[in-house]
Amino acid sequence: MHAAEKKVRAFVRVKPTAHFAQDVIKFGPDNKSIDIYIKKDAKKGVVNNKQTDWSFKLDGVLHNTSQELTYETVAKKLVSEALTGYNGTIMCYGQTGAGKTYTMTGATAEYKHRGIIPRAVQQVFRAIACSVDSFITVRISYLEIYNETLCDLLSTTTSNDMQMAIVDCPQGVYVKGLSIHSVSDEEDALNLLFEGETNRVIAEHSLNKNSSRSHCIFTIYIEVRSRVRVLSDIRCINSKINLIDLAGSERLSKTRSEGRVLKEAAYINKSLSFLEQIIIALADPKREHIPFRQSKLTHVLKDSLGGKCNTVLVANICGEALHVEETLSSLRFATRMKWITTEPVVNVTYDSEETVKTLEKEISLLKQELAMHDSLVNRSLVTYGPLTDVQVAEIKSQIHKYLQGAIDEIDIMNFRQVQEVFKQFKLIVRQQEGEVETRLRSKYILIDKNDFATIAAAQKVMADQAGVYVGELREDRTKSLISGRDLAAHLPSKSQVTVPTKNLDVKEKARNEDTVKNDAQPSKPVSEEISQRSPPSKAVAFEQFKEECGSEINRIFKENKSILLARRKRSSTVARRINIIKQEMEDIKKALEAQRQERSQQGEYVDEKGRLIIDEKEFLLIMKLKDLKEEYRCSYAELQDLKAEIQYCQHLVDRCRNKLISEFEIWYRESFLIPTYVQNALKPSGNIRPGMIPINRVMCLEEDEQERFEQMQEAMLPTGPDSVAFYKAKMKTDQKVMSAGHSSLPRARTGCEPGS
Ligand code: ADP
Ligand code: MG
C-alpha cells in the first residue's frame, strides 16, 4: 500500500523577544521564507568574498504564532494520519532556550500554553470518542537519551538504565526494556507526561544532569482494530507518533573569529552531529548505507526519520542578533531536512486468531438463527452439525432402497444430507462402472482404441473369417426385418390400429396425404374435428392471446416497460444536468484562478490575524462553486439511484417478456394443436385430469397424436417421473380391457379397422 512520495516538512518557529533583530532576520511575504543579513564588519576583518546574506525557504515561518496555530500547522494532519496507520515523527531542533520544550510540551501552568504533546494526546482521544466501529487502544512511553545512556522516564523501578537496549527487528526499531503504558483516556496520558517531566527534573538535580543536553522522546502507540465487514477479518492498524525534544544544538566554536565560526563548529552534543550526518545521507538518493547505529539517538530514530514515516521538523530560533550564528545553523539543518523524501505506508496486519474467533462467534449465532427459524416452521428435529456415522449409514441404505425402487423419495432435512446423498450416488456410479467393466472383460477381449497394432491384428483375424460372418449377418438381419413386419401385422388389437400408418415413412406419408384423407372417408367425424380449425399464424394468434388469456401479463409487461422508459428519460436528463454543472464548475474554477492570479499580482491583503482578504466578486464565485458542488453531489446520487432502478426494471421487463412468450406458446399449442375434444376434456369442467386420460380416448388418436399425447401425459403427470411406471401400467391394463371387446367406445375408429 504505497502512498505518494512526500518530502519532510520543516518549519521555523521564532521565539518572541523584545530585542528582535529586524535588520538581521527578515521574513518573506509568503510566510515561508526567511532571510538572514550579517553586516560586514571591517574591524573584524571579514574578507569581502565571504557570504553574508542567506535565504531559506521552508514550509512555514511561525512568528508570533500561538500554541494552537502552531499545532494546527505542524502536527494536526500528522496525528490524524497516524490514526489511519501512518507513523509520524515531530522533532524540535534548536539552541537551548529557543523554545523546543515550550513547543513540544508547552508551559504546564496554563492550558492555553500547552504544547504539541498534550494536544496530540487530546486529538487522539477525541478521535477515539468519535469512532463507532473500531476498537482503538493507546499506549505511551517516554524515553530520555543522555550521554548515550537510555533512561525510561516512566519506569517504576529505579535501576533500569543497564537493562535497556535498542533492538532492530523486521517491524522496526524498539527499545527493549522501555516501559510502555496503556492509557484509557486523555487524563491518564497526561499524567504520564507530567510524571516523566517530573522524573526528568529530579534526575537533573540528583544526578547532576544538564537537561539541555538530553534528548526526550515521547511516543504515542496507536492500535486500531476494525472488522472488515465482508470477510469478517480483523484489520489491525498499528502506528506510533514520536514527539522529540532534542538536546540544545549550540555548538562549540573552535575559534572566536566570526567568519570561521559560521563554517566550522562542533555540536556540544555529539549525537546531534551524527543526526546531521544521517540527514545528509538520507537526502542523497544514491546513498545506500545510512549509519543509523552510530549513536543511540539515530539508532532509536531509524524508522522515524524519513523512510516510511511522516516527518516534521520545527527549528526553534531566537530573534536576537546575538544568536544569529546558532540561528543560521538551525535554519541550515531545517533546509537539509527538507531534502529528505519519505514514502509513508500504512502499517496494517490481519489478525487471523481474532478472525477465527469472530467467525466462530458468527457460526454459533447463525446456528441459533437457524434453530429459531426451524422452530418457527416446526422443523424442530433438524441438526446442522457434521453427519454422524449412523446418519451416513442411514443415507446409504435409503439410496440403495431408492435405486431398487423400494422407496420413491429420500428424506432430506438439511444441506449436509444433500451433499452426502450426491456423494453416495457418485460412489455407486463408480462402483457400477467398475462392475460393468469387469463383466465385459470376463466375456470379451477389450482392446484399447489407441493400440493400433492390436487392432490391426484383430482386424486381420476378422477378415480371414469375413465371408462366413458377413453372409450370416445379412441373412439374419433380413430375417429379423421380415419377422418384425410379420409380427406387427399379426399383432392383436393395438397393431390393428397402428399398422396402416406405422409402416409409411414420413415422405411417403406426405405424398399420400390426400389419398390417406380420401381413404379415411368413413372416419370423417374424427378428421374433421382435428382439422376443424386450421391454426392461425402465430403473429395473429399472439394478438388474440394478448387480448384474452394473456391480457393481465401483457398489461404488467407494458407497465414495466413504461416505467423503464420513464426512468431512462429521467436518467439522461440528470446526466445532462450533471454535465452542465460540471462545465459551470470548470468555468468558475477558471474565473477563480484568474482572480487569484490578479490578486497575487496586485499584492495580497491580509487582516490582523494573518487571514487573506478577498473581494466580493471572488467571494461570490466561491459561494457559487460551493452551491454547484452540492448540486453536483445531489444529482450524482440521484443518477446512481436511477441506474440501479433502471437495471432492476430492465430485469422485470425481460422476465415479463419471457413469461408472455412462454405462456403464449403453451396457449397456442393447447388452443390450436391439440384436437378440440382433448381441449374440451382438459378444461376444468372436462372429465380428464392430467395423468388420468381414459385410454379409449387416447386410442382414438392418430398414431402421431398418440405419441405426442403420451409424451404430454408423462410431462404432466401429477407426482412427477416417479409415477410414470404406475400410469403406464394402468394404461396397459385399460388397453387389455378394451381389446377384450368393448364395443361401447364413443368414437370407434371403424373406418381404420382392417376389413371394414
Ligand atoms: P528549550 O527547550 O529550547 O531550551 P524552552 O522551551 O525551555 O527552550 O524555552 C525557554 C523559555 O522561553 C521558556 O521559559 C519558555 O516558556 C519561553 N518560550 C519559548 N518559546 C516561547 C514562545 N513561543 N512563546 C512564549 N514563550 C516562549
Ligand atoms: Mg528544553
Side-chain angles (χ1 to χ4, degrees):
M1 208 190 280
H2 277 269
E5 241 182 34
K6 280 184 174 179
K7 288 275 179 193
V8 167
R9 293 193 303 147
F11 297 89
V12 58
R13 188 177 196 194
V14 191
K15 182 181 152 183
T17 169
H19 310 286
F20 184 74
Q22 289 172 358
D23 302 339
V24 179
I25 303 174
K26 296 216 158 108
F27 305 117
D30 56 354
N31 257 343
K32 284 184 179 169
S33 51
I34 183 164
D35 297 338
I36 306 287
Y37 300 94
I38 299 181
K39 284 194 192 111
K40 289 175 189 173
D41 192 336
K43 272 185 279 171
K44 294 219 170 148
V46 172
V47 188
N48 276 346
N49 60 8
K50 280 261 153 66
Q51 188 184 1
T52 51
D53 296 347
W54 288 268
S55 194
F56 299 94
K57 180 121 176 124
L58 298 156
D59 290 285
V61 175
L62 304 163
H63 185 217
N64 289 328
T65 309
S66 68
Q67 291 283 68
E68 185 181 351
L69 188 57
T70 302
Y71 182 77
E72 305 246 313
T73 318
V74 168
K76 198 167 182 180
K77 186 157 170 264
L78 181 140
V79 172
S80 64
E81 288 189 354
L83 285 158
T84 61
Y86 295 98
N87 286 345
T89 299
I90 305 176
M91 258 189 326
C92 284
Y93 177 99
Q95 70 180 107
T96 299
K100 295 183 298 293
T101 307
Y102 181 79
T103 301
M104 203 41 90
T105 311
T108 37
E110 215 178 316
Y111 183 69
K112 199 168 75 180
H113 294 146
R114 72 200 190 284
I116 289 173
I117 297 176
R119 284 173 201 267
V121 164
Q122 188 172 54
Q123 189 183 337
V124 167
F125 279 103
R126 281 198 181 151
I128 293 175
C130 295
S131 78
V132 208
D133 49 7
S134 38
F135 184 71
I136 308 178
T137 50
V138 181
R139 293 177 309 149
I140 273 166
S141 71
Y142 204 177
L143 174 73
E144 183 182 35
I145 304 175
Y146 185 84
N147 273 348
E148 289 301 285
T149 46
L150 303 168
C151 172
D152 186 348
L153 289 175
L154 300 178
S155 171
T156 39
T157 57
T158 41
S159 57
N160 61 53
D161 306 51
M162 305 309 283
Q163 293 150 6
M164 291 206 291
I166 304 165
V167 181
D168 274 296
C169 71
Q171 286 78 38
V173 186
Y174 72 100
V175 179
K176 201 177 124 204
L178 178 68
S179 63
I180 302 180
H181 303 257
S182 284
V183 284
S184 53
D185 54 26
E186 191 183 332
E187 192 185 321
D188 244 8
L190 292 181
N191 277 338
L192 290 175
L193 170 67
F194 297 143
E195 189 186 314
E197 293 295 318
T198 314
N199 287 343
R200 204 175 158 188
V201 174
I202 292 170
E204 199 176 330
H205 288 283
S206 60
L207 303 172
N208 209 14
K209 279 190 195 171
N210 181 342
S211 73
S212 71
R213 301 212 182 158
S214 74
H215 312 286
C216 286
I217 306 176
F218 185 89
T219 309
I220 307 174
Y221 306 81
I222 301 170
E223 187 185 277
V224 183
R225 281 169 173 275
S226 50
R227 191 155 146 188
V228 184
R229 279 180 199 283
V230 204
L231 302 167
S232 306
D233 267 0
I234 299 298
R235 200 167 102 112
C236 192
I237 287 172
N238 279 293
S239 55
K240 58 180 179 181
I241 309 172
N242 278 318
L243 302 166
I244 309 168
D245 185 352
L246 290 170
S249 63
E250 49 274 14
R251 292 161 191 246
L252 278 174
S253 50
K254 286 188 178 159
T255 69
R256 266 272 140 236
S257 140
E258 199 178 305
R260 304 191 75 187
V261 162
L262 297 172
K263 276 185 86 185
E264 298 170 35
Y267 283 102
I268 290 176
N269 194 308
K270 200 136 197 321
S271 57
L272 281 178
S273 99
F274 289 124
L275 179 64
E276 186 160 51
Q277 286 174 24
I278 297 280
I279 300 302
I280 292 168
L282 281 172
D284 178 359
K286 289 193 287 287
R287 265 297 275 273
E288 286 191 351
H289 176 70
I290 313 283
F292 282 109
R293 284 157 167 272
Q294 271 175 338
S295 73
K296 291 268 163 53
L297 174 73
T298 52
H299 197 182
V300 166
L301 295 183
K302 187 176 164 187
D303 59 0
S304 308
L305 279 175
K308 298 171 177 176
C309 170
N310 284 316
T311 310
V312 176
L313 177 89
V314 180
N316 290 97
I317 60 166
C318 297
E320 291 95 350
L322 169 71
H323 295 300
V324 71
E325 295 152 27
E326 292 301 341
T327 298
L328 255 180
S329 69
S330 293
L331 291 171
R332 275 201 204 112
F333 185 87
T335 317
R336 279 183 194 141
M337 279 294 279
K338 264 185 72 59
W339 293 342
I340 303 176
T341 34
T342 66
E343 239 175 79
V345 286
V346 173
N347 304 293
V348 62
T349 50
Y350 291 88
D351 188 334
S352 51
E353 207 174 298
E354 270 301 311
T355 305
V356 169
K357 272 190 208 155
T358 39
L359 283 175
E360 276 172 355
K361 230 191 255 171
E362 198 162 303
I363 288 170
S364 90
L365 216 102
L366 287 172
K367 278 187 178 170
Q368 282 173 23
E369 188 96 17
L370 265 178
M372 194 170 88
H373 178 80
D374 285 339
S375 77
L376 287 175
V377 293
N378 285 329
R379 293 176 72 209
S380 49
L381 287 169
V382 187
T383 55
Y384 295 98
L387 299 175
T388 62
D389 290 348
V390 180
Q391 282 169 316
V392 172
E394 168 62 20
I395 289 172
K396 212 168 167 177
S397 114
Q398 277 203 35
I399 286 174
H400 280 284
K401 282 185 200 157
Y402 177 78
L403 286 174
Q404 285 157 9
I407 54 170
D408 283 343
E409 277 172 7
I410 296 169
D411 291 338
I412 298 293
M413 301 286 264
N414 62 31
F415 193 67
R416 280 184 206 270
Q417 274 178 319
V418 175
Q419 284 179 322
E420 187 59 37
V421 166
F422 277 107
K423 201 170 125 193
Q424 294 293 340
F425 270 123
K426 194 174 174 181
L427 278 175
I428 290 170
V429 168
R430 290 254 168 89
Q431 213 176 322
Q432 291 200 338
E433 272 173 2
E435 277 169 18
V436 167
E437 199 181 322
T438 341
R439 224 181 302 149
L440 283 173
R441 277 187 193 285
S442 70
K443 254 186 168 177
Y444 306 100
I445 302 166
L446 300 183
I447 304 172
D448 185 346
K449 268 189 168 176
N450 295 322
D451 189 351
F452 301 110
T454 321
I455 291 174
Q459 273 171 345
K460 192 169 177 296
V461 174
M462 276 158 77
D464 291 345
Q465 302 175 353
V468 190
Y469 284 119
V470 171
E472 274 177 10
L473 239 144
R474 282 228 177 102
E475 212 186 321
D476 249 19
R477 196 183 279 165
T478 334
K479 245 188 206 163
S480 78
L481 272 170
I482 292 164
S483 67
R485 225 175 241 178
D486 290 347
L487 222 78
H490 293 96
L491 273 174
S493 61
K494 191 184 175 193
S495 59
Q496 287 175 356
V497 182
T498 51
V499 163
T501 44
K502 195 170 192 176
N503 283 344
L504 293 170
D505 80 347
V506 184
K507 275 182 199 161
E508 223 177 321
K509 189 181 166 192
R511 251 185 278 122
N512 298 338
E513 213 157 45
D514 291 343
T515 13
V516 168
K517 265 188 186 164
N518 291 340
D519 288 352
Q521 239 6 316
S523 63
K524 204 179 173 191
V526 178
S527 310
E528 228 174 38
E529 231 176 332
I530 296 170
S531 55
Q532 205 172 28
R533 280 203 279 166
S534 71
S537 80
K538 279 205 171 174
V540 174
F542 191 52
E543 290 311 310
Q544 187 194 340
F545 173 73
K546 283 195 288 189
E547 291 288 304
E548 296 168 12
C549 312
S551 67
E552 179 62 9
I553 172 135
N554 188 42
R555 185 186 62 74
I556 296 169
F557 173 62
K558 273 188 174 159
E559 206 173 284
N560 281 330
K561 233 164 67 175
S562 77
I563 293 171
L564 178 65
L565 211 72
R567 294 293 182 279
R568 283 225 178 101
K569 248 189 210 160
R570 174 75 192 147
S571 164
S572 71
T573 313
V574 174
R576 234 175 297 134
R577 200 172 73 214
I578 286 178
N579 282 335
I580 293 168
I581 296 170
K582 235 164 123 184
Q583 186 54 48
E584 243 179 287
M585 276 163 70
E586 284 306 314
D587 293 347
I588 291 185
K589 274 182 193 158
K590 269 187 209 143
L592 268 174
E593 191 43 44
Q595 282 277 329
R596 258 168 218 152
Q597 259 169 16
E598 195 181 321
R599 175 152 48 71
S600 67
Q601 275 162 11
Q602 289 172 355
E604 292 180 324
Y605 294 96
V606 177
D607 73 358
E608 69 280 356
K609 283 185 186 158
R611 289 177 302 208
L612 205 63
I613 293 170
I614 54 171
D615 69 6
E616 197 183 336
K617 194 174 156 201
E618 193 173 342
F619 176 74
L620 287 175
L621 280 174
I622 291 171
M623 293 313 285
K624 174 83 181 149
L625 187 61
K626 206 176 135 209
D627 289 347
L628 281 172
K629 272 184 187 162
E630 178 59 21
E631 205 181 331
Y632 180 82
R633 204 183 55 72
C634 291
S635 301
Y636 190 76
E638 190 186 347
L639 189 65
Q640 292 304 317
D641 287 349
L642 279 168
K643 273 186 185 158
E645 252 184 283
I646 285 170
Q647 213 179 7
Y648 183 73
C649 280
Q650 182 66 58
H651 180 69
L652 282 183
V653 167
D654 291 345
R655 268 179 51 186
C656 280
R657 185 184 293 115
N658 289 342
K659 179 110 176 128
L660 191 64
I661 291 168
S662 61
E663 297 268 301
F664 165 70
E665 289 293 345
I666 293 169
W667 173 84
Y668 186 81
R669 234 180 296 138
E670 284 183 357
S671 307
F672 304 110
L673 302 180
I674 300 174
T676 324
Y677 60 90
V678 180
Q679 284 168 32
N680 292 335
L682 278 170
K683 275 179 190 160
S685 53
N687 55 357
I688 297 179
R689 281 185 288 128
M692 296 291 275
I693 300 168
I695 197 64
N696 48 7
R697 298 214 175 162
V698 176
M699 293 309 294
C700 299
L701 299 178
E702 288 285 330
E703 185 61 17
D704 282 0
E705 297 287 0
Q706 182 175 352
E707 232 164 66
R708 200 164 349 132
F709 210 80
E710 274 174 22
Q711 276 167 15
M712 189 182 77
Q713 188 193 24
E714 275 175 32
M716 288 166 86
L717 291 173
T719 47
D722 286 355
S723 57
V724 170
F726 174 83
Y727 288 110
K728 275 196 172 154
K730 197 164 155 47
M731 189 158 88
K732 273 184 191 149
T733 320
D734 285 352
Q735 218 169 322
K736 272 182 202 153
V737 171
M738 214 177 61
S739 64
H742 280 257
S743 53
S744 60
L745 297 178
R747 256 177 235 102
R749 298 185 59 190
T750 44
C752 289
E753 264 169 30
S756 71

